Amino acid sequence: MPEVIFAGPAGRLEGRYQAPKQRGAPIAIVLHPHPQFGGTMNNQIVYNLFYTFANRGFAALRFNFRGVGRSQGSFDHGAGELSDAAAALDWVQAVNPEARACWIAGVSFGSWIGMQLLMRRPEVEGFISIAAMANRYDFSFLAPCPSSGLFVHGSEDRVAPAREVMPVIEKVKTQKGVVIEHQIVEGANHFFDGKIDELTQTVETYLDKRLGKKDEAAA
């Protein structure tokens, strides 16, 4: 898994990239939790999501937002981080010009960034949002949500309690043919401590269902 450095809006961004074995493979980028609360691309959930996609034939990238690790710049309260994510997607697309499709996965703060990027990039056909803090960040921009995807929360999440988040997500408008699924991992907190295997299995099951129908070559 090569370490990569690519240009971002505020300077160099540090990432890890897994090249696909087949030309034209879909792309996946994984966005990490809040930089000011210890979030990095080496977060265990981010790491597992990265390999979940890579093991299914995707061109997979995870990277550090500005000011994290060896990425240049400083925290920008979401606006700059969204620009970083766009630059990351641009970079993977440049490396994989024949890519047929793209997925975005995000964890907590990264989920918020990822969903904003999804609204700006019509090539994104699927998303995975883990522990989305819809109680703290405004997700009303998903009107309508253009792509099908999966939201996952822990039943014991005290940062973004499922009982507060689910009604917000359920109000998200969808276009015809777009399906948003919700899954709860029982006993899991916001960080899925001790429940990452269950979380990973939930995501894998969802991906295999989607890919089996839409992208046999990548499964």
Side-chain angles (χ1 to χ4, degrees), residues 124-204:
V124 177
E125 71 170 28
F127 69 86
I128 306 291
S129 283
I130 309 298
M133 294 193 292
N135 60 328
R136 300 193 180 198
Y137 295 113
D138 183 6
F139 277 75
S140 64
F141 56 82
L142 294 170
C145 183
S147 304
S148 298
L150 173 68
F151 284 95
V152 186
H153 286 85
S155 67
E156 305 305 312
D157 191 333
R158 299 289 181 255
V159 178
R163 67 180 181 276
E164 295 181 26
V165 171
M166 300 315 291
V168 177
I169 294 173
E170 287 167 358
K171 289 179 181 177
V172 170
K173 296 177 182 178
T174 58
Q175 300 180 64
K176 185 178 180 180
V178 171
V179 178
I180 297 178
E181 296 190 24
H182 308 151
Q183 294 285 344
I184 298 291
V185 176
E186 291 298 327
N189 62 16
H190 189 67
F191 308 101
F192 291 84
D193 292 326
K195 296 289 182 178
I196 290 181
D197 287 346
E198 288 94 327
L199 169 62
T200 302
Q201 182 61 55
T202 297
V203 173
E204 289 177 343

Side-chain angles (χ1 to χ4, degrees), residues 26-30 53 58-59 89 101-105 123-128 148-150 203 206-207 210-211 214-215:
I27 287 167
I29 63 171
V30 186
F53 282 107
F58 282 71
L89 182 52
C102 173
W103 282 64
I104 295 175
E123 68 270 30
V124 177
E125 71 170 28
F127 69 86
I128 306 291
S148 298
L150 173 68
V203 173
Y206 176 78
L207 270 180
R210 285 283 305 273
L211 299 174
K214 297 200 67 171
D215 205 344

Side-chain angles (χ1 to χ4, degrees), residues 37-100:
F37 296 95
T40 78
M41 67 175 175
N42 294 321
N43 169 277
Q44 189 63 50
I45 299 173
V46 171
Y47 182 89
N48 282 19
L49 287 171
F50 174 85
Y51 278 105
T52 293
F53 282 107
N55 291 341
R56 283 159 178 76
F58 282 71
L61 173 71
R62 70 186 201 269
F63 71 98
N64 281 328
F65 287 125
R66 59 183 63 197
V68 178
R70 293 196 295 150
S71 291
Q72 296 179 322
S74 58
F75 180 65
D76 193 36
H77 304 281
E81 287 73 21
L82 176 56
S83 296
D84 293 344
L89 182 52
D90 289 342
W91 181 84
V92 186
Q93 289 177 327
V95 175
N96 298 274
E98 298 178 356
R100 299 184 301 276

